Amino acid sequence: MRQLPEADRDAIRIAQDPRFSRWLEQVTATGGCAHPVHLSGSTTTLDGATGEIIRQYDTRDEPGERLLVRCRNRRATVCAPCSRLHAGDTFHLVRAGLIGGKNIPATVRNRPRLFITLTAPSFGSAHRTGERCRPRRDGSTCEHDCSLGCATEHAPTDPLIGQPLCPDCYDYTGHVLWHAHASKLWDRFVIDVRRRLASSAGLVQSRFAHHARLSFARVAEYQKRAAVHVHAVVRLDGPDGPADEPPAWGTADRLTDAVRASAGRVLVRTPYSPAVGELPVRWGAQLDVRPLYADGDGPGDDAVAAYVAKYVTKGASDTGAGTDHKVTTWDEIDTAPVSAHVRTLMRTCWRLGGLPEYAPLHLRTWAHTLGYRGHILTKSRAYSTTYAALRAERAQHVGHADTPDVITDAHWRYVGSGHTPGAALIAAGVAQDLEECRRLSADAGRWGGGRR
């Protein structure tokens, strides 16, 4: 036993515990969560009319007197089982806003709908994929004696992709401050789209909400150059939301024109700084607007929902943009496992975060995400269902929902999180087994659907 690794010794200890089977049931119920939350407490369910106890649960009867629940982390690099569940919820959330379901009428599929991509502006030339990266005939160099061109044909996995040709010429300050204001820029963009739609229909802008409603779901994705760009599904409804038809003037072409005009027009200004000045924050020149049609012409609804769900679960380690955990000191930035380009962005966040005029931006707090502090996925209230509703529906499906006409008396407290080394080893095996079962079930479904 002494010659075995610590994780193996711990796993053997856990397996020899008389209550191992119940502990394994808890781990399986969490899907093999890598960092479960440990709760202690009790729940008593009473009949609302008679006061009779219907059910009673207490963690004093559990191994270690605690209950394990999912961490619900969306990042696959942190917890793959929970990120997979989050991706599934995101898929259904976005899909419901495209084709209906989850209390959203199927008629939304016939509304004006767009799938748009908004990008960050250029902060300096960076290496990119293609036949040749940045070909130049004159062989000129910048003031720092770095070549302004690159004739290399970079492979998609080349670590140079996204790195600036000249780090000294690159506008790291502009990059960080753009990230810090990207969420506000999106808010201004949505407001401006509504105003342009109203103006094009001959309406007073303040009366737009009485005639139509603009709904959206958007996800942020880091590009190879470590700059965020936004994918969004945009839908035009009547004033009462998904159940209401848009006005006759609300067409996909008019919505497309409004989106294109607003993307080139909206502007946010950074707070004035004696060291930096006041910088304008705009969208980049690259803009992609694709109408979504009910007849299948163009991007498919399921494909769009799957595309958005895929990026929601990506961690910083997947994209090479920052880290999945916050940094608290300058030294942590120096030792972070990131590229030189990303490390410079993190250092820029730290330096700017020390200036009093940028204190409201909390740049040091968000240095691990390169200054971007918005949610990865956001949606308007009327777009579709919510994560909370999807979780409640899943709880009802597995039989854990509250029964009507009962009183629930619950007392819970947090007592810890995570696994011991041996428990983590067993949980990883459980997660792998569950994933294999899902794969085999999916394969069986495909073969049973006609492929013989």
Side-chain angles (χ1 to χ4, degrees), residues 35-40 64-71 412-420:
H35 300 279
V37 175
H38 301 192
L39 300 177
S40 176
E65 298 188 358
R66 57 186 59 191
L67 176 69
L68 305 184
V69 297
R70 287 179 177 270
C71 69
W412 293 94
R413 63 188 180 91
Y414 170 84
V415 293
S417 63
H419 284 303
T420 62

Side-chain angles (χ1 to χ4, degrees), residues 243-411:
D244 197 6
E245 291 294 327
W249 53 260
T251 63
D253 289 341
R254 179 163 279 171
L255 181 58
T256 299
D257 292 341
V259 164
R260 290 189 179 279
S262 296
R265 177 180 181 276
V266 291
L267 168 70
V268 173
R269 295 191 180 277
T270 66
Y272 174 77
S273 167
V276 178
E278 183 184 72
L279 302 182
V281 175
R282 302 178 182 272
W283 295 112
Q286 292 183 333
L287 170 68
D288 187 36
V289 182
R290 302 186 186 186
L292 301 175
Y293 299 106
D295 58 8
D297 185 16
D301 296 324
D302 283 358
V304 169
Y307 187 84
V308 172
K310 176 181 70 173
Y311 284 107
V312 162
T313 62
K314 285 198 171 186
S317 300
D318 291 324
T319 59
T323 64
D324 290 326
H325 303 284
K326 292 184 178 181
V327 294
T328 56
T329 65
W330 179 271
D331 291 339
E332 287 184 24
I333 297 176
D334 289 340
T335 58
V338 296
S339 67
H341 174 56
V342 171
R343 182 172 286 106
T344 303
L345 286 167
M346 295 172 72
R347 287 171 176 164
T348 303
C349 284
W350 198 267
R351 283 196 296 267
L352 294 177
L355 299 178
E357 56 269 27
Y358 293 140
L361 303 179
H362 304 288
L363 290 173
R364 289 189 173 181
T365 301
W366 297 102
H368 67 298
T369 57
L370 315 184
Y372 180 74
R373 56 198 176 105
H375 292 288
I376 291 297
L377 183 134
T378 57
K379 73 175 191 67
S380 58
R381 183 174 59 86
Y383 174 78
S384 70
T385 186
T386 63
Y387 283 120
L390 291 171
R391 290 167 185 154
E393 185 178 340
R394 183 163 53 249
Q396 185 176 12
H397 176 72
V398 299
H400 296 308
D402 292 336
T403 307
D405 302 322
V406 299
I407 299 173
T408 301
D409 184 25
H411 301 278

Side-chain angles (χ1 to χ4, degrees), residues 26-58:
Q26 286 199 32
V27 172
T28 304
T30 67
C33 174
H35 300 279
V37 175
H38 301 192
L39 300 177
S40 176
S42 62
T43 298
T44 303
T45 304
L46 307 172
D47 187 294
T50 65
E52 179 185 358
I53 295 178
I54 300 174
R55 277 192 310 272
Q56 191 167 23
Y57 173 82
D58 197 310

